[in-house]
Amino acid sequence: MIPGFIGLGQMGGPLAGRIAQKFRLLVWDRTPSVMEGHTNAHGSVAAPSLEALCSQADAIFLSLPTSAVVEAVVNEMVPNLRAGTVIVDCTSGEPEAAQRIASVLKGPGCAYV
């Protein structure tokens, strides 16, 4: 299994670090220096783009600031996701937004947790 992690901030960075202890973890963050810091500290692998991470990962963890940001990122992800990919949202978000996101991810055949 190839996991991916999007969002390496205050909460996401440590969570991704734990996953990187057991798996070859692909990471992506909108701030390149944050990705570089994570790869140096935890041995994760910086994805060259969001699209590349989505096309390679079997499970993708999201740790983003708000539900609105999650929705925007998921909309960017959808064209590159493979059927069967599991999306795990660690964001403290809004239940209504989570329902919308789950509906969007059904299109490419992804599971949303």
Side-chain angles (χ1 to χ4, degrees):
M1 179 180 77
I2 300 173
F5 208 103
I6 299 170
L8 301 171
Q10 296 267 331
M11 188 168 89
L15 289 170
R18 297 290 291 182
I19 296 169
Q21 290 176 357
K22 300 288 182 184
F23 295 92
R24 179 184 175 272
L25 178 66
L26 296 174
V27 296
W28 186 84
D29 192 278
R30 64 183 174 194
T31 308
S33 62
V34 171
M35 280 193 302
E36 183 180 350
H38 200 274
T39 60
N40 291 337
H42 300 286
S44 54
V45 177
S49 65
L50 180 61
E51 294 80 9
L53 185 145
C54 292
S55 67
Q56 296 175 46
D58 302 306
I60 301 172
F61 295 82
L62 305 174
S63 184
L64 300 167
T66 67
S67 292
V69 174
V70 173
E71 286 186 275
V73 170
V74 164
N75 286 329
E76 288 182 54
M77 294 167 60
V78 166
N80 299 291
L81 291 169
R82 295 177 287 128
T85 301
V86 176
I87 309 298
V88 180
D89 186 3
C90 302
T91 303
S92 298
E94 303 161 9
E96 299 82 13
Q99 291 172 341
R100 289 191 303 269
I101 294 163
S103 293
V104 167
L105 290 169
K106 283 181 184 176
C110 297
Y112 178 72
V113 179

